[in-house]
């Protein structure tokens, strides 16, 4: 299998790279320290078409494919994982869910605003006591005529406070029953829909993570996405594509840490020579480069299958699992190469180190990815 980067993918990647270096790099530590979610940056990314990469042009998006989408996330994450994470969550989850399962009226209403970042999107599946155990969620939606009454709390939600619109998966049947959940679109400002606690995190600190609280929140049946009972099936389909985006995010962080380590190893002198000359350092760099190449191939394979409309659950889970794990490994080795300087905030690798860990947890832990992969292998 051979994947050569197209001219279009290269151009899109360069555009994202230029934006990241001009508008994100000068402020990334300021945002990290203060946990500021820089909404204005996403508005500007929206003007460049990067908040609707996969959205068809008919709905205001750029209508590009998964190779371009992966390239955008990687280039942003090579500079700042937080911005890459929010970009991925907006595109893959909220926007992707409406694009995939929304009816024509819903697409016309929401996609143009999401694609341009007039609206920032959120997506709610996880709850305080039901992370991987989504079939036992406590957030419920009860039908009352042509309306639904939603009650419950969603946690660990990217843009849970600042998102203008959220796709929320609610239980509409008995706990653990088959087909017991349904997806809904909820607009910010709807009575009964509010933001809760904003998390104080180890990494990804400029990507807002907060609770969404529903207290007798009434929405119209027009806001229902697809059929009643299809919510979990829809969520799993969305997470298939979402795994590609988190894999790309992981790879971007890994590449950022690796490139910083290579540069430092060439510049740092000990015993009258660059530390890159020492086998202990050069072998670490060789391992890092090899892991990056492997992750890139897995991601490209998943993108290729996705673009061809072929099954890719196993391949996207493999890409997400492997890329996220090597992001942690590579950022750890990068800190080691930097030595004491790597442990300070004056150099970039400590942030890659902190940001990388989320990739093994968010949108399905590494352990969940192993379950997905093994089920696909054995079914």
């Amino acid at each position: 299998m051979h994947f050569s980067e197209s001219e279009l993918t290269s151009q899109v990647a360069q555009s994202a790279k230029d934006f990241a270096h001009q508008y994100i790099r000068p402020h990334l530590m300021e945002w990290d320290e203060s946990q500021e979610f820089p909404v204005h940056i996403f508005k500007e990314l929206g003007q460049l078409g990067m908040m609707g990469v996969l959205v068809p042009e008919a709905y205001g998006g750029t209508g590009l494919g998964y190779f371009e989408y992966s390239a955008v996330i990687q280039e942003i994450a090579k500079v700042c994982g937080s911005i890459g994470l929010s970009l991925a969550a907006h595109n893959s989850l909220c926007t992707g869910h409406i694009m995939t399962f929304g009816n024509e009226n819903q697409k016309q209403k929401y996609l143009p605003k999401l694609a341009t970042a007039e609206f920032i999107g959120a997506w709610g599946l996880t709850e305080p006591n039901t992370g991987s155990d989504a079939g036992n969620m406590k957030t419920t939606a009860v039908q009352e005529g042509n309306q639904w009454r939603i009650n419950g709390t969603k946690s660990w939600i990217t843009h849970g406070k600042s998102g203008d619109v959220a796709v929320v998966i609610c239980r509409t049947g008995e706990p653990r029953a088959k087909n017991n959940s349904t997806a809904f679109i909820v607009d910010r400002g709807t009575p009964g829909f509010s933001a809760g606690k904003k998390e104080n995190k180890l990494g990804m600190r400029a990507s807002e993570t907060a609770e969404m609280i529903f207290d007798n929140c009434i929405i119209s049946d027009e806001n229902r996405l697809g059929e009643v009972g299809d919510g979990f099936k829809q969520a799993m389909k969305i997470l298939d594509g979402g795994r590609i985006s988190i894999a790309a995010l992981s790879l971007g962080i890994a590449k950022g840490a690796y490139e910083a380590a290579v540069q430092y190893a060439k510049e740092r002198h000990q015993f009258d020579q660059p530390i890159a000359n020492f086998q202990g350092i050069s072998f670490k760099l060789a391992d890092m480069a090899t892991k990056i190449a492997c992750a890139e191939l897995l991601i490209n394979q998943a993108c290729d299958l996705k673009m061809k409309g072929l099954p890719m659950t196993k391949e996207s889970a493999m890409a997400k699992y492997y890329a996220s794990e090597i992001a942690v490994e590579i950022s750890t080795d990068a800190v080691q190469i930097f030595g004491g300087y790597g442990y300070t905030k004056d150099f970039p690798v400590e942030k890659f180190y902190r940001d990388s860990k989320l990739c093994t947890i968010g949108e399905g832990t590494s352990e969940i990815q192993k379950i997905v992969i093994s089920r696909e292998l054995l079914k």
Side-chain angles (χ1 to χ4, degrees), residues 130-161:
T130 54
S132 303
D133 184 18
N136 196 34
M137 69 178 68
K138 300 296 187 288
T139 300
T140 59
V142 178
Q143 190 164 17
E144 299 174 350
N146 198 39
Q147 296 179 322
W148 293 84
R149 183 184 299 272
I150 302 176
N151 281 288
T153 299
K154 295 293 182 179
S155 60
W156 307 105
I157 307 304
T158 306
H159 314 146
K161 182 177 181 181

Side-chain angles (χ1 to χ4, degrees), residues 295-327:
E296 198 151 33
L297 285 169
L298 284 169
I299 292 167
N300 285 339
Q301 177 183 236
C303 288
D304 183 57
L305 291 171
K306 182 72 174 175
M307 292 304 297
K308 291 176 178 174
L310 296 172
M312 40 72 78
T313 297
K314 178 187 69 178
E315 288 77 8
S316 65
M318 285 179 168
K320 196 273 187 188
Y321 166 54
Y322 184 76
S324 64
E325 291 292 334
I326 64 104

Side-chain angles (χ1 to χ4, degrees), residues 16 22 38 62 83 95 125 128 144 173 189 201 209 222 259 305 319 355:
Q22 184 173 354
T62 49
I83 306 303
T95 305
L125 176 65
E144 299 174 350
K201 299 175 296 183
T209 305
E222 294 178 358
E259 290 173 8
L305 291 171
D355 286 349

Side-chain angles (χ1 to χ4, degrees), residues 139-336:
T139 300
T140 59
V142 178
Q143 190 164 17
E144 299 174 350
N146 198 39
Q147 296 179 322
W148 293 84
R149 183 184 299 272
I150 302 176
N151 281 288
T153 299
K154 295 293 182 179
S155 60
W156 307 105
I157 307 304
T158 306
H159 314 146
K161 182 177 181 181
S162 297
D164 300 285
V165 60
V167 171
V168 185
I169 293 84
C170 305
R171 184 164 56 80
T172 49
E174 294 301 314
R176 302 202 186 285
K178 191 175 181 181
N179 302 325
N180 72 342
S181 63
T182 306
F184 300 91
I185 303 171
V186 187
D187 293 277
R188 184 70 63 183
T190 303
F193 175 28
S194 62
K197 175 189 175 186
K198 179 179 175 179
E199 302 297 340
N200 184 9
K201 299 175 296 183
L202 167 71
M204 301 291 195
R205 290 169 60 82
S207 178
E208 178 187 278
T209 305
E211 292 178 324
M212 295 192 302
I213 298 172
F214 301 91
D215 183 9
N216 290 315
C217 177
I218 305 294
I219 61 169
S220 169
D221 189 55
E222 294 178 358
N223 288 48
R224 173 170 47 84
L225 279 160
E227 299 301 318
V228 174
D230 282 353
F232 187 72
K233 293 178 185 176
Q234 292 177 9
M236 293 304 99
K237 178 85 171 176
I238 294 304
L239 287 173
D240 270 353
R243 290 184 187 115
I244 293 176
S245 66
I246 301 302
L249 173 69
S250 304
L251 182 57
I253 291 170
K255 284 181 175 180
Y258 165 73
E259 290 173 8
V262 169
Q263 181 179 345
Y264 183 80
K266 290 178 178 179
E267 295 173 352
R268 172 72 167 172
H269 281 65
Q270 291 288 279
F271 305 100
D272 304 318
Q273 59 183 309
I275 64 171
N277 288 354
F278 299 112
Q279 192 177 83
I281 301 300
S282 64
F283 277 20
K284 279 190 190 299
L285 296 173
D287 284 339
M288 294 158 84
T290 303
K291 290 171 183 175
I292 284 170
C294 292
E296 198 151 33
L297 285 169
L298 284 169
I299 292 167
N300 285 339
Q301 177 183 236
C303 288
D304 183 57
L305 291 171
K306 182 72 174 175
M307 292 304 297
K308 291 176 178 174
L310 296 172
M312 40 72 78
T313 297
K314 178 187 69 178
E315 288 77 8
S316 65
M318 285 179 168
K320 196 273 187 188
Y321 166 54
Y322 184 76
S324 64
E325 291 292 334
I326 64 104
V328 174
E329 294 169 11
I330 288 171
S331 59
T332 300
D333 282 344
V335 170
Q336 195 71 17

